[in-house]
Amino acid sequence: MFGGTQSLHTNALDEAIALPTDSSARIARNTQLIIQEESNLCRVIDPWGGSYLMESLTQQDGRQGVVDHRTGRIDGGK
C-alpha cells in the first residue's frame, strides 16, 4: 500500500476458470472494502508525507548518486 498503488484489483476466487459468480464477485469486492477500511490509507494523500526518515534517506541516496557519478563508479571507474 505504501508503494504508490493507484488501484487494486482483487480477482474473484473462480475467475481463473470462468466468469465469476455473483457470490465470488461479492467476496472480491468485500475484500477490497475491508482493505480500504482497515488500512485507513484512503484518508491521507501521502502516508509518508513529512516523514523525516524518508526525506533524509532520499536526500542521502541522491547525494551518493552524485558522488558515484562524479567518481565514475557507475561506469566501472576506479
Side-chain angles (χ1 to χ4, degrees):
M1 300 295 277
F2 289 111
T5 301
Q6 295 294 321
S7 66
L8 176 67
H9 176 74
T10 308
N11 287 331
L13 58 99
D14 56 357
E15 195 167 344
I17 57 173
L19 290 174
T21 62
D22 289 341
S23 175
S24 65
R26 188 170 49 252
I27 291 169
R29 186 204 62 220
N30 289 346
T31 300
Q32 287 185 336
L33 293 174
I34 289 169
I35 292 170
Q36 176 184 338
E37 283 296 314
E38 291 189 0
S39 69
N40 290 322
L41 291 177
C42 295
R43 296 183 181 172
V44 292
I45 294 171
D46 182 9
W48 289 104
S51 170
Y52 172 76
L53 174 63
M54 293 307 293
E55 293 294 327
S56 65
L57 290 174
T58 302
Q59 194 171 44
Q60 179 183 357
D61 192 41
R63 286 186 189 135
Q64 188 62 48
V66 170
V67 170
D68 287 347
H69 181 71
R70 288 185 180 161
T71 60
R73 289 184 195 155
I74 293 174
D75 297 325
K78 295 183 180 184

